[in-house]
Amino acid sequence: MKIATFNINGIKARANALPDWLDEAQPDVVLLQEIKSVDEAFPREIFEERGYNVETHGQKSFNGVAILSKLPLEDVSRGLPGDDSDEQARWIEATVIGKQAIRICGLYLPNGNPVELTDDGSPVPGGKYAYKLAWMERLRNRAKDLLADEMPALMAGDYNIIPQPEDAKRPEAWAEDALHRPESRAAFQRIVNLGFTEAFRARHQGPGHYSFWDYQAGAWNRNDGIRIDHFLLTPQAADLLTDCQIDKDVRGREKPSDHVPVWVELDI
């Protein structure tokens, strides 16, 4: 089973590029982020005619996540548990039914910038960075439940986290950014330490692997990238991992997203 994650930065803007990549890569399941569309306006027919079941959790002009699956989807859930007042569309999950069932969770983790801190260095209550860290704590709680279920499961998407300095071409440029601050990286590591496998690093080591290049300042041409799109696998899913790759060349095509697809293959 080939499962991909792709922050498309607007479904309207990627109306041609996304179908072209799907036809080429032929993933069985795709987790999309930043669809920037309400559910009713999402062009599901583009994907249904390619054999995909479509589930969305949309929001006008911002955020929004979706699952495309050539296999049946069951028990679809929208919204990350833990805060009923959170109206941002950043989480969707479903059980994919293949030879073996697997729980697929798609996420668009908050960016967190600008970083607003009090005099003692803690995040300003109500600020974007405080929201990011609180969201990550809710994510950790959901991750605990996935582990307790003891079925194959994964959480994938745009984490807006640069885990290690080697995951950025210029880590010093991100030192005070919400994506790479120590509190952000520590929150990510606390989730991994519950017992998850970070799929890409299980297959590839060393610097130079990126999934995002800013549109500004010629970042793509200079390969000035960062790696912020991740797969975290439960032990049961990690046992099935056979490959994980970044489709880097997609960034150099016509009207690209600033992210590129990342995918895993599972023996399932």
Side-chain angles (χ1 to χ4, degrees):
M1 184 184 296
K2 185 176 184 179
I3 305 168
T5 178
F6 193 1
N7 180 323
I8 58 172
N9 194 12
I11 186 61
K12 291 181 181 178
R14 241 52 67 195
N16 294 320
L18 178 56
D20 287 348
W21 173 77
L22 289 172
D23 293 343
E24 173 190 317
Q26 291 294 314
D28 299 296
V29 181
V30 186
L31 300 168
L32 300 176
Q33 301 91 48
E34 277 201 278
I35 62 174
K36 298 182 180 178
S37 168
V38 294
D39 295 335
E40 308 83 66
F42 188 80
R44 54 190 308 122
E45 64 281 354
I46 294 175
F47 310 105
E48 290 173 342
E49 68 186 16
R50 287 171 166 80
Y52 288 99
N53 300 296
V54 179
E55 296 288 347
T56 61
H57 180 34
Q59 181 178 345
K60 186 177 181 180
S61 303
F62 297 99
N63 305 326
V65 287
I67 302 177
L68 315 177
S69 177
K70 290 185 175 180
L71 297 161
L73 294 172
E74 295 185 356
D75 192 21
V76 179
S77 178
R78 296 167 175 83
L80 183 64
D83 183 357
D84 292 340
S85 68
D86 186 359
E87 297 181 351
Q88 297 193 29
R90 295 182 174 274
W91 179 269
I92 189 168
E93 60 179 274
T95 300
V96 177
I97 308 298
K99 291 184 294 184
Q100 183 178 354
I102 180 170
R103 192 68 177 169
I104 304 287
C105 305
L107 63 94
Y108 176 42
L109 203 147
N111 178 286
N113 286 305
V115 175
E116 301 170 285
L117 304 176
T118 62
D119 291 340
D120 65 3
S122 59
V124 171
K128 291 186 176 181
Y129 195 47
Y131 174 64
K132 179 189 186 100
L133 296 179
W135 204 96
M136 294 186 76
E137 182 60 23
R138 289 161 56 198
L139 178 62
R140 190 171 75 95
N141 289 332
R142 180 67 189 117
K144 289 179 182 178
D145 291 340
L146 290 171
L147 290 170
D149 288 341
E150 296 188 348
M151 72 177 289
L154 60 81
M155 304 187 301
D158 177 0
Y159 277 77
N160 271 315
I161 294 290
I162 305 169
Q164 302 293 333
E166 67 182 11
D167 294 312
K169 178 70 173 289
R170 296 180 301 119
E172 68 281 359
W174 298 89
E176 297 303 321
D177 192 281
L179 278 63
H180 196 50
R181 281 187 62 87
E183 302 93 335
S184 304
R185 289 186 285 133
F188 181 77
Q189 196 59 47
R190 281 194 294 271
I191 295 169
V192 175
N193 288 348
L194 293 173
F196 285 82
T197 294
E198 208 256 270
F200 188 82
R201 284 305 181 196
R203 303 290 297 182
H204 307 277
Q205 301 301 315
H209 304 287
Y210 311 128
S211 64
F212 170 93
W213 296 260
D214 196 278
Y215 290 128
Q216 307 299 319
W220 167 244
N221 293 329
R222 295 184 293 109
N223 196 29
D224 186 6
I226 54 177
R227 192 176 69 89
I228 56 175
D229 302 88
H230 310 301
F231 277 86
L232 297 187
L233 312 181
T234 66
Q236 295 80 6
D239 286 344
L240 304 170
L241 178 66
T242 60
D243 201 4
C244 181
Q245 301 288 344
I246 298 173
D247 282 353
K248 178 180 178 178
D249 68 297
V250 174
R251 182 63 174 80
R253 299 180 184 178
E254 186 176 357
K255 294 184 178 179
S257 171
D258 41 10
H259 295 251
V260 295
V262 182
W263 53 266
V264 297
E265 283 186 346
L266 304 180
D267 185 15
I268 186 171

